[in-house]
Amino acid sequence: MATYKRRGNKPVGKQEREQQEQKESTTAEVFSTLDESASKTEEWVARNQKYIIGFIAVIAVGVLGYLGYNEFIVKPKEVEASNELYFAQQYFEKALNTADSDSLYNLALTGAEGKYGLLDIIDIYGGTDAANLAHYSAGMAYLNTGKYDKAIEHLQEFSSDDAMLGPIAKGGIGDAFNQLNQPEEALSYYEQAFKRGTNDFVIPRYLMKAALTAMSLSDYKKAHTYFTRIKEEFPSSPQANGIDTYIGKVENMK
């Protein structure tokens, strides 16, 4: 029987040798291209080094500038605004607990004894948390002094996720629109108020206002829905007193 010696993985035919040589040539070309690209990249970096460093410096300056702006301008401004708001807010809170309150609301709005009022804080410290809260207090002050357009203007500027202040601000806008004999707008804001509410004080209060406003608009189906929610979900609330009477009225009108 004939035998032969194995020659490992070396190609034994002409065609196989050519394929092997072609494969080796291609691999060499790839590595050569990579080396060439790396060299060109190094040359580009070397030529443009000062521009690259400059670009990095610009970014660094921007970041440091932003941090510095927040640390040395924004934060001190917030503190200053909060300190100024404290004085005006005292007049506002006194007005809430006083029968003859118009003069106190006006002092809260315009300031006294050389101190800023709510309107000054809004103008001077715009964009701060204190100015945002000043919009709320100013809006409620105008609402309680019968200046309904101004109340709407300021309460619409106020923004808060607070479980009490946010819904009360929306409800205040609803009250102002009702006083201006614009019940459609009032209903919309009452609905926003109770939808944002998260407690037994806010939700039934604005459900009742929404239901009564819907009745005035002859939307008895919506009024019935809101009255029924008060009865079923908030039976212990002040608004639940006599709720069956309201439900009976709208059922007769539907």
Side-chain angles (χ1 to χ4, degrees):
M1 179 182 293
T3 60
Y4 64 89
K5 293 182 181 180
R6 296 186 62 182
R7 294 184 291 176
N9 292 325
K10 292 182 180 180
V12 295
K14 179 179 179 182
Q15 185 176 358
E16 291 180 357
R17 282 198 304 271
E18 289 176 351
Q19 289 176 347
Q20 180 71 18
E21 289 171 359
Q22 185 177 0
K23 183 177 179 180
E24 292 174 355
S25 176
T26 301
T27 302
E29 286 178 12
V30 169
F31 280 108
S32 176
T33 301
L34 289 173
D35 289 341
E36 190 175 323
S37 297
S39 298
K40 288 181 178 179
T41 301
E42 291 171 359
E43 291 174 6
W44 183 87
V45 169
R47 286 198 309 271
N48 298 279
Q49 188 171 4
K50 67 177 181 179
Y51 300 109
I52 295 170
I53 293 172
F55 178 71
I56 294 171
V58 168
I59 294 174
V61 168
V63 171
L64 291 173
Y66 173 78
L67 294 174
Y69 176 79
N70 277 279
E71 188 66 29
F72 300 110
I73 296 177
V74 174
K75 287 183 179 179
K77 188 178 181 181
E78 285 283 2
V79 172
E80 184 179 330
S82 296
N83 290 337
E84 294 292 346
L85 179 63
Y86 176 76
F87 181 83
Q89 200 70 15
Q90 283 184 310
Y91 279 114
F92 176 76
E93 290 171 5
K94 286 179 183 178
L96 293 174
N97 301 304
T98 305
D100 184 17
S101 57
D102 283 9
S103 60
L104 290 172
Y105 280 127
N106 287 328
L107 288 173
L109 287 165
T110 59
E113 301 176 22
K115 298 289 187 178
Y116 290 143
L118 297 169
L119 300 180
D120 297 312
I121 292 165
I122 290 168
D123 288 339
I124 296 170
Y125 300 102
T128 63
D129 292 338
N132 183 47
L133 184 57
H135 273 299
Y136 170 83
S137 298
M140 298 305 290
Y142 280 128
L143 179 64
N144 287 307
T145 53
K147 298 174 182 177
Y148 303 117
D149 288 328
K150 289 184 176 180
I152 292 168
E153 176 187 339
H154 285 284
L155 290 175
Q156 286 180 333
E157 289 294 323
F158 174 68
S159 175
S160 175
D161 293 328
D162 185 85
M164 293 289 288
L165 292 185
I168 290 173
K170 295 297 183 185
I173 298 172
D175 289 342
F177 273 121
N178 246 339
Q179 292 296 327
L180 293 170
N181 197 29
Q182 296 178 242
E184 293 88 355
E185 288 82 356
L187 177 57
S188 172
Y189 278 97
Y190 289 145
E191 289 172 332
Q192 291 180 52
F194 72 69
K195 287 175 182 176
R196 292 184 61 177
T198 58
N199 58 60
D200 293 354
F201 171 76
V202 170
I203 300 175
R205 179 182 184 183
Y206 293 113
L207 275 171
M208 176 60 80
K209 291 193 176 194
L212 293 172
T213 305
M215 277 186 70
S216 74
L217 292 166
S218 301
D219 191 343
Y220 303 119
K221 182 178 179 181
K222 182 174 282 189
H224 184 272
T225 298
Y226 296 157
F227 285 136
T228 302
R229 278 195 63 187
I230 293 171
K231 179 180 179 177
E232 294 178 351
E233 298 177 29
F234 307 97
S236 300
S237 68
Q239 290 76 23
N241 294 330
I243 198 68
D244 286 330
T245 302
Y246 286 110
I247 292 173
K249 284 183 180 180
V250 294
E251 284 179 345
N252 292 329
M253 293 174 177
K254 282 197 300 182

